[in-house]
């Protein structure tokens, strides 16, 4: 029979399993619960570095991925930050009899730091008294007991969310759609597609057209000087309308519908597909897709992972990331609300004055409106926020700080090296990852969400009527 549900406060349980019976949820790979962090110590390894490697592997990190250029001590802070974002219920150590008491003490402190229970599987007939005594003496003191079975996991609570009706996002099983301009897009689809396929495309087109018209009706109210409609439209298309789309065909349909809907309000969203290469439609969805997020999750360095997550979402370099404060990032990493009043003091006044007017600059795309991070890419930002809090940073301190002189030196140069290294690992070469001395950077600039997709938003002036 399973044991009763553990108490709310984290406890340490030494599970006696001398016959090494397979434990459901730990040794059965098809039924491993995501609420458990299962650490499997390397046989014959007793060092602290080896234990840290086992913990990071349990967190999903690749054992041969580049690690931070620090000693073993600071790396524990990276592991703690990553583990806090998962909100594990318990830290399970398989075959804990192989570990020295010092290693068991470190695991007990690690479990307490991430607010999780510690369950040690003692799969041997050897004496466990020394291990039990070490757990009792480990600070901070926590309830410690012996057990014959693994404690029972509590039932997951189901939260009921209000029903929402987003745009239909079912992938379109179609070939490449015609790249004709917005004036002839629907006619070209009708001529080239089957009747059933055209009905599906036209349904998506009409839904997107209505959605853009509703957004314009809500966002065309009088705005602050620093928050015009162009900035609001860019943020909405990036975070809600076009960025989260994974199917290129659906992205093209929404883009053509947005162009047609904005023309009714005297806004022209121009798209130059010839500047994007042989497959321009593939550049429309967000560069921060699920596959790249999974590849970033194997890296140990949190600051580089957080920086490239934000850079891929915004399609810009880390040039203005120093304007983000720690208090601007939510605990879950889902929302960033930078303020233009927090301009670093080391930037010259001429630079501040030049960046204030909105001109499609990446500075305004970063600061004009809140930034909503996709659900699959929030963990690096949440982990880096937890790391900065552990380092003693406050809400007014910069989120991305210089290593040796935080708050006094621009971290752009340090972040750029990490961004270039991760871009090479991801197999991408965006222009915003290049340095200022690169000809491509000088030709196409610092980047930006619109310019990365060859989009240009222009206000059409109404001509006076003449007789």
């Amino acid at each position: 029979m399973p044991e009763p549900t553990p108490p709310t406060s984290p406890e340490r349980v030494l599970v006696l399993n001398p016959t090494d019976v397979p434990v459901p949820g730990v040794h059965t790979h098809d039924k491993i619960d995501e609420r458990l962090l299962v650490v499997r110590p390397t046989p014959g390894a007793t060092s602290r570095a080896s234990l840290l490697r086992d913990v990071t592997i349990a967190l999903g990190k690749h054992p041969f991925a580049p690690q931070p250029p620090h000693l073993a001590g600071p790396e524990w802070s990276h592991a703690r930050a990553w583990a806090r974002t998962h909100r594990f219920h318990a830290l399970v150590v398989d075959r804990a009899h192989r570990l020295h008491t010092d290693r068991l003490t470190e695991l007990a402190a690690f479990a307490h730091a991430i607010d999780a229970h510690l369950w040690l599987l003692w799969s041997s007939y050897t004496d466990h008294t020394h291990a039990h005594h070490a757990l009792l003496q480990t600070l901070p003191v926590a309830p410690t007991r012996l057990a014959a079975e693994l404690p029972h996991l509590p039932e997951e609570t189901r939260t009921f969310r209000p029903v929402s009706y987003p745009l239909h996002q079912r992938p379109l099983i179609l070939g490449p759609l015609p790249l004709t301009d917005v004036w002839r897009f629907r006619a070209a689809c009708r001529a080239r597609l089957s009747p059933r396929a055209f009905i599906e495309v036209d349904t998506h087109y009409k839904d997107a057209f209505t959605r853009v018209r509703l957004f314009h009706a809500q966002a065309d109210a009088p705005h602050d000087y620093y928050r015009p409609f162009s900035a609001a439209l860019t943020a909405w298309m990036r975070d809600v309308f076009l960025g989260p789309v994974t199917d290129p065909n659906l992205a093209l349909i929404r883009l053509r519908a947005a162009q047609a809907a904005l023309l009714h309000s005297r806004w022209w969203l121009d798209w130059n597909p010839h500047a994007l290469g042989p497959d321009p439609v593939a550049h429309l969805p967000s560069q921060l897709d699920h596959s790249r997020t999974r590849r970033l999750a194997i890296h140990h360095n949190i600051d580089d992972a957080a920086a490239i997550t934000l850079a891929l979402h915004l399609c810009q370099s880390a040039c203005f990331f120093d304007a983000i404060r720690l208090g601007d990032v939510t605990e879950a990493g889902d929302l960033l609300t930078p303020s233009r009043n927090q301009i670093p003091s080391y930037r010259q006044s001429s630079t501040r004055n030049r960046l204030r007017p909105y001109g499609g600059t990446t500075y305004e795309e970063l600061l004009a409106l809140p930034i909503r991070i996709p659900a699959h890419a929030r963990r690096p930002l949440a982990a880096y926020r937890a790391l900065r809090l552990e380092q003693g940073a406050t809400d007014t301190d910069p989120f991305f700080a210089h290593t040796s002189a935080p708050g006094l030196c621009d971290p752009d140069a340090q972040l750029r090296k990490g961004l270039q290294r991760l871009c090479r690992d991801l197999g991408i070469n965006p222009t915003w990852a290049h340095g200022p001395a690169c000809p491509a950077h000088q030709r196409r600039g610092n980047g930006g969400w619109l310019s990365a997709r060859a989009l240009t938003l222009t206000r059409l002036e109404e001509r006076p009527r003449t007789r």
Side-chain angles (χ1 to χ4, degrees):
M1 294 294 294
E3 296 187 11
T5 302
T8 305
S9 59
E11 65 172 0
R12 300 160 187 167
V13 182
L14 187 60
V15 182
L16 302 180
N17 185 25
T19 58
D20 200 11
V21 177
V23 178
V26 177
H27 299 136
T28 53
H29 294 278
D30 56 335
K31 297 181 180 179
I32 292 181
D33 198 301
E34 295 182 353
R35 294 173 292 174
L36 298 179
L37 176 61
V38 182
V39 178
R40 309 180 193 277
T42 302
T46 58
S47 64
R48 188 187 187 196
S50 176
L51 178 62
L52 175 61
R53 182 176 62 252
D54 297 333
V55 172
T56 54
I57 291 175
L59 289 171
K61 308 305 172 186
H62 197 280
F64 301 107
Q67 298 185 6
H70 307 300
L71 300 176
E75 287 190 12
W76 277 102
S77 61
H78 286 245
R80 286 191 295 267
W82 282 115
R84 287 191 183 102
T85 61
H86 291 267
R87 301 183 181 274
F88 291 111
H89 178 77
L91 169 63
V92 182
V93 183
D94 188 19
R95 294 174 175 82
H97 62 277
R98 295 175 175 173
L99 297 176
H100 192 267
T101 54
D102 294 340
R103 306 289 85 82
L104 296 179
T105 302
E106 292 180 353
L107 288 173
F110 180 79
H112 178 79
I114 65 175
D115 195 22
H117 301 275
L118 177 63
W119 298 342
L120 302 177
L121 290 177
W122 196 268
S123 304
S124 175
Y125 284 100
T126 58
D127 187 16
H128 61 272
T129 307
H130 63 287
H132 189 209
H133 181 72
L135 294 177
L136 288 172
Q137 299 298 325
T138 302
L139 297 177
V141 179
T144 305
R145 61 186 177 92
L146 299 176
E149 294 181 354
L150 202 69
H152 181 63
L153 282 173
E155 295 184 0
E156 294 185 279
T157 57
R158 298 182 179 180
T159 57
F160 296 92
R161 300 180 180 179
V163 180
S164 59
Y165 300 94
L167 285 175
H168 190 50
Q169 296 206 21
R170 183 167 63 87
L172 300 176
I173 311 300
L174 302 171
L177 295 179
L179 291 176
T180 54
D181 51 32
V182 61
W183 325 107
R184 298 172 294 175
F185 177 72
R186 296 177 69 189
C189 290
R190 183 189 294 271
R192 300 184 185 182
L193 301 178
S194 63
R196 183 177 179 180
F198 174 74
I199 292 176
E200 186 177 7
V201 170
D202 200 49
T203 301
H204 284 281
Y205 184 94
K206 293 178 180 178
D207 291 344
F209 184 91
T210 305
R211 186 72 176 270
V212 176
R213 293 288 292 168
L214 291 175
F215 170 78
H216 180 270
Q218 299 173 359
D220 200 27
H223 282 267
D224 180 48
Y225 173 73
Y226 297 119
R227 295 182 179 180
F229 172 75
S230 51
L233 179 66
T234 302
W236 181 71
M237 293 185 66
R238 177 194 65 209
D239 300 340
V240 179
F241 183 70
L242 195 59
V245 176
T246 57
D247 182 55
N249 285 331
L250 183 57
L252 178 61
I253 296 172
R254 290 191 179 186
L255 175 61
R256 293 308 189 192
Q259 289 179 296
L262 291 173
L263 277 175
H264 287 261
S265 307
R266 301 197 307 274
W267 286 97
W268 170 236
L269 183 62
D270 184 45
W271 184 45
N272 183 17
H274 304 288
L276 299 177
D279 190 12
V281 182
H283 294 263
L284 294 178
S286 175
Q287 297 180 353
L288 191 62
D289 54 11
H290 291 266
S291 61
R292 289 172 181 166
T293 303
R294 287 192 297 267
R295 295 183 62 179
L296 289 176
I298 68 173
H299 290 271
H300 300 261
N301 209 351
I302 303 180
D303 49 357
D304 290 345
I308 198 171
T309 297
L310 191 58
L312 287 174
H313 182 64
L314 300 176
C315 295
Q316 61 173 274
S317 68
C319 181
F320 302 120
F321 285 4
D322 52 359
I324 305 175
R325 292 295 179 265
L326 187 63
D328 300 336
V329 185
T330 58
E331 182 180 0
D334 58 340
L335 185 65
L336 283 77
T337 54
S339 174
R340 66 176 60 251
N341 297 325
Q342 302 292 340
I343 299 177
S345 58
Y346 51 78
R347 291 194 181 274
Q348 300 295 330
S349 59
S350 59
T351 304
R352 295 199 301 267
N353 295 333
R354 178 174 56 85
L355 293 175
R356 285 186 181 277
Y358 178 79
T361 62
T362 55
Y363 178 79
E364 291 295 341
E365 290 186 10
L366 176 65
L367 300 182
L369 288 172
I371 303 170
R372 303 184 183 276
I373 305 299
H376 63 273
R378 296 170 182 173
R379 186 158 289 164
L381 294 171
Y384 188 61
R385 184 182 184 275
L387 178 64
R388 294 285 291 135
L389 290 175
E390 185 175 344
Q391 293 173 349
T394 61
D395 290 345
T396 57
D397 292 330
F399 185 65
F400 294 99
H402 195 274
T403 304
S404 58
L408 301 176
C409 297
D410 192 350
D412 178 40
Q414 291 183 347
L415 293 177
R416 190 186 307 121
K417 295 180 180 179
L419 292 177
Q420 293 173 351
R421 181 173 60 253
L422 291 181
C423 284
R424 288 193 298 268
D425 182 70
L426 296 175
I428 58 177
N429 186 26
T431 56
W432 48 260
H434 300 186
C438 179
H441 187 279
Q442 296 177 358
R443 183 172 62 254
R444 297 193 61 180
N446 185 35
W449 194 86
L450 290 179
S451 62
R453 289 154 180 79
L455 294 172
T456 306
L457 186 63
T458 307
R459 178 66 171 177
L460 302 178
E461 298 294 337
E462 184 177 5
R463 294 183 179 180
R465 296 181 179 179
T466 57
R467 294 182 179 178

